[in-house]
Amino acid sequence: MSTPDRLIEATRELLWERGYVGTSPKAIQQHAGAGQGSMYHHFAGKPDLALAAIRRTAEEMRETAGRVLDAPGSAYERISGYLLRERDVLRGCPVGRLTMDPEVVASDALRAPVAETITWLRERLATIVREGLDRGEFTPGIAPDDIAASIVATVQGGYVLARAAGSADAFDAGVRGLLTLLAPPAGTARHTDAVVSHHPAS
């Protein structure tokens, strides 16, 4: 891995664990195994490096979510796949946690990739819900944008509940509840029970 990549990866990890204020240039250098000269040769400073790290984290989240949401299957199955995919629940969402970081939220530049990614996720989910409505997979009359917001809120809120309890059970319960509410009308295929039973412990 190149020095810039090591610095970016180190910053990503530290931002996730410690937040912006707790991620000092010295800690980044130590974590990356790079000297001060190398860091400032490739990046103008901590804000520049943090922006590169946040952008990479946001891109990775889009790629991970996109692989599930673009997979074959019904709209319900794809949403289930997104909700039930393996996560490190107790660490929280690397993108979602940035919204609780005062330094990130106060910076238009640092906040932009986070806001763009959450907007992208909501729009992608809303599109899938519309597809499901068109195919009769969901109860008629539901609002795709509202459902998409509820899905994102369930995931992000589930992280908070799980971290507070020190257990992924609260996250799992929220996901099961939402999938029950989204379950296709009677007479269409339902996969809730089978999918939930395979939800990873983390």
Side-chain angles (χ1 to χ4, degrees):
M1 190 181 294
S2 68
T3 298
D5 281 335
R6 292 205 314 274
L7 287 164
I8 290 172
E9 290 302 315
T11 304
R12 290 179 64 196
E13 285 294 316
L14 291 169
L15 284 173
W16 196 358
E17 293 172 3
R18 307 180 185 180
Y20 187 85
V21 172
T23 302
S24 66
K26 184 176 181 180
I28 294 171
Q29 293 158 24
Q30 291 176 340
H31 206 73
Q36 181 176 342
S38 295
M39 176 174 165
Y40 288 101
H41 173 73
H42 295 289
F43 299 95
K46 175 181 168 180
D48 185 38
L49 183 49
L51 179 57
I54 291 171
R55 281 176 174 165
R56 183 171 293 183
T57 295
E59 289 169 4
E60 185 177 276
M61 179 178 170
R62 290 193 195 198
E63 290 174 3
T64 302
R67 281 196 296 271
V68 179
L69 296 175
D70 295 336
S74 69
Y76 182 79
E77 288 169 338
R78 289 148 67 196
I79 290 172
S80 297
Y82 168 72
L83 288 168
L84 296 163
R85 74 172 180 79
E86 187 171 2
R87 294 175 169 89
D88 191 349
V89 173
L90 295 182
R91 285 194 74 189
C93 174
V95 172
R97 286 187 68 178
L98 292 170
T99 65
M100 295 181 281
D101 192 313
E103 300 295 327
V104 172
V105 173
S107 167
D108 290 342
L110 296 178
R111 188 178 68 252
V114 177
E116 290 166 3
T117 299
I118 293 174
T119 297
W120 170 86
L121 180 59
R122 288 180 60 175
E123 291 176 348
R124 186 73 191 91
L125 287 165
T127 297
I128 293 173
V129 174
R130 289 189 192 95
E131 293 172 2
L133 278 170
D134 291 342
R135 297 171 186 162
E137 296 178 33
F138 298 121
T139 303
I142 64 172
D145 290 336
D146 293 349
I147 296 299
S150 297
I151 294 169
V152 175
T154 296
V155 171
Q156 295 302 324
Y159 283 122
V160 173
L161 294 174
R163 285 171 61 81
S167 168
D169 291 347
F171 183 98
D172 294 348
V175 166
R176 287 195 302 270
L178 181 58
L179 287 174
T180 299
L181 293 173
L182 288 177
T188 58
R190 292 185 58 172
H191 301 275
T192 309
D193 295 338
V195 177
V196 170
S197 68
H198 291 94
H199 182 56
S202 62

